[in-house]
Amino acid sequence: MSFERIKEKLNILADAAKYDVSCSSSGSKRSNPNKQLGDSSGMGICHSYTEDGRCVSLLKILLTNYCIFDCAYCVTRKSNDIKRAAFKIEEVVDLTINFYRRNYIEGLFLSSGIFKSADYTMERLVAVAKKLRLEEGFNGYIHLKSIPGASDELMREAGLYADRLSVNIEIPTKSGLKLLAPDKKREDFIKPMIKVKNEIIQYKEEKRLIKSTPKYAPAGQSTQMIIGATGESDKDIMYASNYFYKSFNLKRVYYSGYVPISYDTRLPQIGSAVPMLRENRLYQTDWLLRFYGFDIREILNDYHPNLDVDIDPKLSWALRNLDVFPIDVNKADKRWLARIPGVGLKSVNKIIGARRFRKLNWEHLKAIGIAYNRAKYFITCDSRDFERRDLTAEQIKNFILKQSMSKYKGVYNNQLSLFN
Amino acid sequence: MKKILIYDGTFDGFLTTVFQVFEEQLKDVEIVKPKHYQPNIFIEAETIITDSKKAKRVWKALQVKVTKSGAHKLYASFLSEIKGVENALLRYIVYAYCSESFIHTDYSNKDVLRVAQVSKMVFRERHRMEAFVRFQLTKDGIYFANIEPDFNVLPLLLKHFKSRYADQRWMIYDKKRGYGMYYDLNVVQYIDLELTDAFDGSKKGLEKVFTSEEFQFQSLWKNYFDSTNIKSRKNMKLHKRHVPTRYWKYLSEKQPEL
């Protein structure tokens, strides 16, 4: 193969694929019983990190950046004047195998611009995955994009070779979608998601009866939303996300701060900052919902449609619900421990393990690794020393902020001074 | 009376020492490697001769007394090679034997917490090595990689690489400690050897050893790495936290253009 030509294509098609945030390579279990190439043990590996700090785990490329759609937020939109290229199926397979053998990557993340039709594109993507699995004996991770509008038969086949499938809904609200991507319909995004969800359930059922049932998309489905492109509130985003988690059993929803790429007046202009802090708060909320047992309505509702910028969502919730605190770490059950600001799940498990042996005091808790400065206002332990003052939420917030070393301090301090 | 026990630095040697401590019911002991031993006329010292039978007995007993994962953590902590970690491990083991129940979750005990923390450091580096190993294809068809980890994690990497790269011959060489692992399509063997500079991924003049295709793929990979970067989100502090500078030496994507 001609390395120069490949290099040129790789530059174009990797550059176009980089706005897809997902890079996870976890959640799939493929062993390597026949001494072929590769396995995935369930735990993902980030083989490198870009200079913006995102993980590089998969070879993330587009099959082509030719596209018949004209979505305002996308770099590969039809009306954008950029270099176009397309990979051959063998080229993608070859690159994947050679990168994988050198331990550069965990596998392949293949997406594509839509050329000719949805089915024609999906067919190509499936062909790559099929060739990797059947001809090359590759057991690494494969993430395929489900092309909106692709037929059920193709989606079914895709799941047999891929570990994860994803459709990016990109715009959380219907009105935003209408504004920025008038040729796309929400139903087209949803259709492949429903198909894959049903297939996953069906294959799991069958697997229970017949052990040799093949795996179907073992790492599940994910999706992605762009943040800050259409003026939606945090509540809009998280309720949409919650809906997708609940109705389609998604493994992950990714939030991607909009990186300005066009002079379109419907969008934030080139040069405006990427909303990274907001993105971070949304991920924190996402974690609270999935791992900490919070309900979305506790964190975001009509009274609080947006997340606080200066403090994390769990602390923000705690300050609104001071009546449930202080919590006794030596007695409270797991769910309540997880609700203490400054105590993460790792610490929760350590506390539960350790308190079986003796009552824990501040020294123990600090050694275990809780964020003492935040947590001390909300807990009591085996010590006569605890917060006795009757502090208001505002006071606690100020005390905590005064001691915080947050890397974002500059960001929200600037914002505050603007309004003063 | 205090006693210093000198062992040979191997894990079996350490376990033999533990055996001795229990057999002689020693209360106040310090375990050291020969290179850390400083003679002191007031303290009695004894050199322990490694006995794999005794080591095996202790290891088997530990599986039961501190659970399998607890024993694995002890092993990982041992591999950290941190000066004096042997003594924390010994106190942990003694504590485990003095207690009726499992103590591996008693994080308010400082030795238990120490083992949890040190083993976490070691497992973190093992995970990093699973990620940062960069194989280069030699002319005789072996995928070769150099590493220089802070801790002695090579033994912990065996299983991962063996099951993943089952159809290619590979070798991972720990330059700092002067030994490596070689997989010949059947078994993995540890080998001691001195390598010439021609194998050092961080140096020039590799053409003699590696295929020309190899350099093409490295260049493709570096190209890919550069084009996935989003410039408007640049955050070098975060980048360096994930990929600490000390590992850059052998990462092809972090090398200057060839």
Side-chain angles (χ1 to χ4, degrees):
Chain A
M1 71 195 215
S2 144
F3 280 101
E4 279 314 305
R5 183 73 193 113
I6 296 278
K7 195 184 273 183
E8 204 184 333
K9 284 188 195 177
L10 188 60
N11 283 348
I12 296 171
L13 295 169
D15 189 83
K18 72 187 176 190
Y19 298 101
D20 241 308
V21 197
S22 167
C23 73
S24 88
S25 49
S26 55
S28 182
K29 239 184 158 48
R30 255 174 225 280
S31 55
N32 185 3
N34 304 323
K35 278 201 165 192
Q36 292 171 310
L37 177 63
D39 67 351
S40 33
S41 56
M43 167 187 69
I45 300 178
C46 299
H47 284 271
S48 193
Y49 291 83
T50 57
E51 289 189 349
D52 52 35
R54 289 172 313 134
C55 138
V56 180
S57 168
L58 305 171
L59 172 63
K60 196 189 292 178
I61 47 174
L62 297 189
L63 195 56
T64 173
N65 62 347
Y66 288 102
C67 193
I68 53 172
F69 285 107
D70 200 25
C71 310
Y73 52 81
C74 179
V75 248
T76 58
R77 65 188 177 280
K78 186 169 61 179
S79 60
N80 201 13
D81 182 23
I82 50 164
K83 268 193 189 166
R84 306 275 168 174
F87 271 124
K88 287 184 202 137
I89 290 171
E90 305 82 68
E91 288 171 340
V92 177
V93 170
D94 218 35
L95 262 182
T96 310
I97 295 292
N98 273 296
F99 276 12
Y100 194 87
R101 285 197 183 282
R102 286 168 175 76
N103 204 36
Y104 296 163
I105 50 169
E106 281 298 285
L108 175 68
F109 181 140
L110 192 59
S111 177
S112 181
I114 295 161
F115 51 109
K116 287 192 185 164
S117 70
D119 271 353
Y120 188 83
T121 313
M122 196 66 219
E123 215 177 301
R124 291 295 123 106
L125 297 187
V126 174
V128 172
K130 190 172 178 179
K131 195 168 158 108
L132 276 171
R133 291 276 189 243
L134 300 185
E135 286 176 35
E136 302 287 336
F138 178 71
N139 294 306
Y141 195 88
I142 300 179
H143 180 159
L144 291 186
K145 266 273 116 75
S146 317
I147 302 297
S151 69
D152 281 359
E153 294 76 60
L154 277 169
M155 289 320 301
R156 195 187 134 81
E157 209 188 347
L160 289 174
Y161 305 117
D163 292 286
R164 171 169 287 184
L165 292 162
S166 67
V167 195
N168 288 355
I169 56 160
E170 306 289 13
I171 307 293
T173 56
K174 263 189 184 160
S175 56
L177 188 68
K178 206 167 181 185
L179 179 73
L180 296 180
D183 336 334
K184 282 189 181 167
K185 280 190 301 239
R186 190 134 205 192
E187 294 72 55
D188 289 343
F189 294 98
I190 307 269
K191 202 183 116 208
M193 255 191 227
I194 296 173
K195 175 68 185 167
V196 172
K197 174 197 153 194
N198 292 339
E199 290 287 332
I200 291 176
I201 294 172
Q202 192 189 332
Y203 271 86
K204 259 195 195 143
E205 283 296 316
E206 277 171 31
K207 183 123 198 159
R208 215 175 285 164
L209 300 174
I210 310 162
K211 211 145 183 260
S212 60
T213 308
K215 287 193 163 78
Y216 186 90
Q221 295 196 84
S222 66
T223 190
Q224 169 176 324
M225 282 187 257
I226 299 179
I227 306 309
T230 55
E232 67 294 314
S233 71
D234 290 342
K235 182 176 161 245
D236 292 336
I237 297 165
M238 290 316 301
Y239 275 65
S241 159
N242 194 46
Y243 166 75
F244 282 106
Y245 275 126
K246 293 261 155 72
S247 342
F248 304 106
N249 303 337
L250 291 195
K251 279 277 160 72
R252 282 292 296 273
V253 175
Y254 292 92
Y255 311 93
S256 161
Y258 178 69
V259 181
I261 39 101
S262 106
Y263 289 103
D264 196 313
T265 48
R266 291 171 288 179
L267 286 163
Q269 287 307 294
I270 287 186
S272 48
V274 182
M276 282 196 267
L277 176 55
R278 186 174 179 207
E279 195 183 291
N280 178 282
R281 295 282 179 244
L282 289 169
Y283 275 115
Q284 287 176 323
T285 312
D286 189 87
W287 251 249
L288 291 184
L289 298 181
R290 290 192 298 141
F291 303 116
Y292 288 78
F294 279 87
D295 187 283
I296 182 69
R297 286 161 296 183
E298 293 177 282
I299 303 170
L300 289 164
N301 46 48
D302 287 336
Y303 301 104
H304 303 95
N306 284 304
L307 298 166
D308 283 323
V309 187
D310 47 359
I311 52 172
D312 65 83
K314 201 210 256 180
L315 177 57
S316 169
W317 171 84
L319 291 176
R320 273 182 267 133
N321 296 280
L322 281 177
D323 52 314
V324 302
F325 295 103
I327 285 172
D328 184 350
V329 287
N330 288 309
K331 292 202 183 112
D333 73 2
K334 197 171 177 175
R335 285 182 327 212
W336 282 104
L337 288 177
R339 284 177 173 247
I340 304 168
V343 177
L345 284 184
K346 287 252 165 72
S347 300
V348 168
N349 287 331
K350 278 215 171 99
I351 289 171
I352 289 174
R355 73 185 183 187
R356 283 210 298 265
F357 296 90
R358 63 185 61 82
K359 284 193 163 176
L360 306 176
N361 60 32
W362 292 113
E363 292 312 310
H364 297 137
L365 291 173
K366 279 185 202 169
I368 279 172
I370 67 164
Y372 173 71
N373 279 335
R374 248 175 298 157
K376 67 179 172 189
Y377 300 101
F378 303 99
I379 49 181
T380 58
C381 58
D382 187 31
S383 160
R384 295 172 58 189
D385 187 20
F386 59 90
E387 187 56 66
R388 289 162 208 271
R389 287 172 292 175
D390 197 9
L391 297 170
T392 65
E394 197 56 31
Q395 281 169 317
I396 295 178
K397 184 172 162 181
N398 284 335
F399 283 136
I400 291 173
L401 281 181
K402 216 174 266 172
Q403 281 167 326
S404 97
M405 305 284 275
S406 165
K407 56 184 177 290
Y408 291 119
K409 218 169 178 176
V411 180
Y412 56 75
N413 277 355
N414 280 344
Q415 284 177 347
L416 285 179
S417 63
L418 267 177
F419 295 110
N420 283 340
Chain B
M1 215 182 74
K2 193 171 172 172
K3 197 171 180 186
I4 294 180
L5 301 176
I6 308 163
Y7 79 112
D8 61 358
T10 62
F11 191 55
D12 274 0
F14 169 71
L15 292 177
T16 313
T17 316
V18 172
F19 188 90
Q20 188 109 346
V21 170
F22 275 80
E23 195 176 51
E24 296 180 15
Q25 305 245 320
L26 301 171
K27 290 280 180 302
D28 191 6
V29 282
E30 193 184 341
I31 307 179
V32 293
K33 292 192 184 102
K35 65 176 176 185
H36 294 140
Y37 174 59
Q38 286 174 325
N40 181 333
I41 46 167
F42 300 108
I43 303 174
E44 191 193 341
E46 189 188 338
T47 304
I48 304 293
I49 296 153
T50 304
D51 180 338
S52 62
K53 250 191 209 151
K54 287 178 184 171
K56 220 175 204 167
R57 251 180 81 182
V58 175
W59 184 239
K60 236 177 157 178
L62 280 176
Q63 312 272 330
V64 180
K65 200 66 203 173
V66 300
T67 73
K68 262 191 176 160
S69 80
H72 191 54
K73 276 185 186 165
L74 286 175
Y75 177 49
S77 307
F78 177 82
L79 292 177
S80 73
E81 298 177 336
I82 291 172
K83 196 180 162 189
V85 77
E86 299 93 342
N87 296 302
L89 297 181
L90 177 65
R91 287 195 299 271
Y92 178 110
I93 295 170
V94 171
Y95 178 45
Y97 271 88
C98 293
S99 319
E100 293 288 310
S101 56
F102 289 128
I103 51 94
H104 60 284
T105 59
D106 183 4
Y107 299 107
S108 51
N109 175 296
K110 74 176 182 353
D111 296 314
V112 177
L113 190 62
R114 177 84 180 139
V115 168
Q117 285 165 343
V118 172
S119 62
K120 192 177 170 193
M121 280 155 65
V122 174
F123 289 138
R124 181 185 301 132
E125 182 155 58
R126 172 191 63 181
H127 191 67
R128 276 186 172 146
M129 283 303 128
E130 284 169 1
F132 295 158
V133 160
R134 294 283 178 269
F135 286 120
Q136 295 175 291
L137 186 57
T138 63
K139 283 187 176 154
D140 40 11
I142 296 171
Y143 286 85
F144 175 82
N146 271 314
I147 56 171
E148 280 182 52
D150 298 343
F151 309 127
N152 185 16
V153 292
L154 206 51
L156 299 175
L157 294 173
L158 192 151
K159 219 175 125 196
H160 172 79
F161 283 99
K162 191 182 174 198
S163 68
R164 171 161 294 201
Y165 298 109
D167 71 338
Q168 68 189 44
R169 290 190 295 154
W170 53 259
M171 175 168 172
I172 303 173
Y173 182 70
D174 185 339
K175 234 180 137 221
K176 207 167 170 182
R177 293 170 185 81
Y179 79 113
M181 262 186 329
Y182 173 65
Y183 173 70
D184 61 0
L185 299 179
N186 283 313
V187 284
V188 181
Q189 284 167 326
Y190 289 105
I191 36 181
D192 287 298
L193 78 167
E194 288 284 317
L195 286 175
T196 58
D197 274 354
F199 281 93
D200 189 338
S202 65
K203 298 225 170 69
K204 296 273 176 247
L206 303 162
E207 299 81 29
K208 275 178 261 163
V209 182
F210 299 107
T211 59
S212 62
E213 227 188 22
E214 175 56 40
F215 301 106
Q216 300 279 6
F217 277 112
Q218 282 181 29
S219 149
L220 276 181
W221 168 240
K222 187 173 159 44
N223 245 281
Y224 169 72
F225 179 76
D226 292 337
S227 34
T228 48
N229 187 28
I230 298 178
K231 289 206 180 64
S232 50
R233 298 180 59 119
K234 187 168 175 173
N235 186 349
M236 282 309 274
K237 204 175 147 196
L238 183 59
H239 174 64
K240 280 188 187 163
R241 198 168 69 208
H242 286 313
V243 193
T245 337
R246 63 181 181 281
Y247 299 114
W248 288 13
K249 202 167 157 189
Y250 298 117
L251 294 178
S252 38
E253 68 270 22
K254 298 303 291 180
Q255 303 311 314
E257 207 53 66
L258 294 171

